[in-house]
Amino acid sequence: MSRRSYSQFCATAKTLDVVGERWTLLIIRELVTGPKRYKDLLESLPGIGTSLLAARLRHLESAALVRRTELPPPAGSTVYELTESGRDLEPAIMAIARWGLKWALGEPTPDEVFRPGWAVLAMQAAYDERAAANIDETYEFRVGDDVFHARVQDGAVQGRHGPAHEPDLVITATAEAFMQLAAGQATIEQAAKQGRITAAGSRIALRHCSAIFKRP
Amino acid sequence: MSRRSYSQFCATAKTLDVVGERWTLLIIRELVTGPKRYKDLLESLPGIGTSLLAARLRHLESAALVRRTELPPPAGSTVYELTESGRDLEPAIMAIARWGLKWALGEPTPDEVFRPGWAVLAMQAAYDERAAANIDETYEFRVGDDVFHARVQDGAVQGRHGPAHEPDLVITATAEAFMQLAAGQATIEQAAKQGRITAAGSRIALRHCSAIFKRP
DNA sequence: CGGCATCCATTTTGATACTG
DNA sequence: CAGTATCAAAATGGATGCCG
């Protein structure tokens, strides 16, 4: 009944009291790119088990990091979305992702699952600040049935779920090819030239996009 | 025997595979301010249980985030210290701490333990960038038997264990008073004026220190 | 003592089955 | 679709024992 707590007067420990349990931060990660339904969360978190997801969501709701909302008609489905305090975890998740990109990610292995949204968040976590400076463009990524976009503005990047408003570039790729990009095995420009992905839009935007998200 | 993994090709999940288990990030937090002995770690992590700490340290060593080292004579004791990849988690821990300062810390409660080192790390996590600009000073904090220092240089702050080399200011306080400061209940200058802490050093440095670490 | 390893009662989790 | 119910397996925490 009583949640486990570190009982430390420490900002780090207090945060982990709220989001430190298994799966919790990954649920937040899923919601950073936009609201999701229960079954979409289940789909993105293989292995979580339905009752544990429900318990975590209940906890995050009671901690006011997540809100249950009815989507406006005609959708009408109930979705989970981040509140202000939940969104405020984005910098922490990005810092964690940067560490993983540098020290732990490596090459994909056959037993690892992959979702395009994770790569979009990685793009937001680690982009080339020099290349992104003074750019105001939006790139749309269509990967299998999933659509994401990355907005580059004011030297920052936002990776979000759903189509872009007026994209300067539309990248279409298989999940396989997109994962290769996330693994840093090629730049977007190279993959487009080789026909492994298709890029529709201005050639300039393609060059920008490739430079901003080139992995070193 | 086999460690639990999310098995996701995702930078965030991969990081949590390494440091996401209970206590792990708090062990790293303890080592951010400097190397520590096994028993000091136990002391700073009430409730962990000796075998779990040993297991976590073994894991962190095998993951190359932590290294076991013999301290040079005359100390000669064995300590645990962060490797390069371990130190590289500092930004993530600071981001987590900033969230906790903003959304979860609140006032200390009687059941919560407190260690001065945690407050020093919080100072590093959330300081006033404007006030820290163009300052090159070091402040020493003596709290009970513990000594820490904060180095302000190049607009950044480093909170570390042990005495400062040539401190511009030496703050002496009880753990109780230092905790009050960490809770944001007074500025350092106010607490010094009220005699709840003592400050030795230049009046200018005291003003700087107070401004840099004032909590809004 | 410091630095663990072992044993055991409690919690947490993962997987599956089931319901409104 | 959005969960709840159930139950076995794993992780945790506490106490205690061992060893240089």
Side-chain angles (χ1 to χ4, degrees), chain B residues 20-82:
Chain B
E21 288 176 308
R22 189 165 167 77
W23 296 109
T24 304
L25 228 32
L26 294 189
I27 294 172
I28 309 269
R29 172 200 67 183
E30 289 304 311
L31 299 179
V32 164
T33 53
K36 280 196 167 177
R37 289 173 301 177
Y38 185 86
K39 74 146 192 165
D40 296 327
L41 290 170
L42 263 189
E43 221 286 310
S44 304
L45 301 169
I48 190 178
T50 93
S51 55
L52 191 54
L53 174 57
R56 290 287 186 270
L57 287 171
R58 234 178 297 136
H59 164 63
L60 287 172
E61 247 192 286
S62 78
L65 275 77
V66 162
R67 185 170 35 220
R68 254 177 126 236
T69 312
E70 299 283 324
L71 230 49
S77 56
T78 78
V79 294
Y80 294 89
E81 66 179 3
L82 295 180

Side-chain angles (χ1 to χ4, degrees), chain A residues 4-16 18 20-23 25-26 29 44-46 65 84-86 88-89 91-93 95-109 111-114 118 122 179 182-183, chain B residues 4-16 18 20-23 25-26 29 44-46 65 84-86 88-89 91-93 95-109 111-114 118 122 179 182-183:
Chain A
R4 216 177 315 218
S5 161
Y6 290 114
S7 293
Q8 299 184 351
F9 185 69
C10 161
T12 304
K14 285 281 199 171
T15 303
L16 294 177
V18 180
E21 288 176 309
R22 187 163 169 79
W23 295 110
L25 227 32
L26 294 189
R29 173 200 67 185
S44 303
L45 301 169
L65 276 76
E84 188 197 349
S85 64
D88 222 17
L89 274 169
I93 291 178
I96 290 169
R98 274 189 290 277
W99 192 90
L101 280 170
K102 182 170 176 183
W103 294 102
L105 189 62
E107 303 280 305
T109 63
D111 64 308
E112 285 173 0
V113 301
F114 172 75
W118 304 342
M179 183 172 68
Chain B
R4 206 175 258 180
S5 162
Y6 291 114
S7 294
Q8 298 183 353
F9 186 69
C10 159
T12 304
K14 285 281 198 171
T15 302
L16 294 177
V18 179
E21 288 176 308
R22 189 165 167 77
W23 296 109
L25 228 32
L26 294 189
R29 172 200 67 183
S44 304
L45 301 169
L65 275 77
E84 188 197 348
S85 63
D88 223 16
L89 274 170
I93 291 179
I96 290 169
R98 273 188 290 276
W99 192 90
L101 281 171
K102 182 170 177 184
W103 295 102
L105 190 61
E107 302 281 305
T109 62
D111 65 307
E112 285 173 359
V113 300
F114 172 76
W118 305 340
M179 185 172 68

Side-chain angles (χ1 to χ4, degrees), chain B residues 165-183:
Chain B
H165 179 46
E166 285 182 355
D168 299 278
L169 185 70
V170 176
I171 303 274
T172 307
T174 63
E176 177 71 19
F178 203 58
M179 185 172 68
Q180 305 290 336
L181 287 178

Side-chain angles (χ1 to χ4, degrees), chain A residues 159-172:
Chain A
R160 292 296 181 262
H161 195 267
H165 179 46
E166 285 181 355
D168 299 278
L169 185 70
V170 176
I171 302 276
T172 306

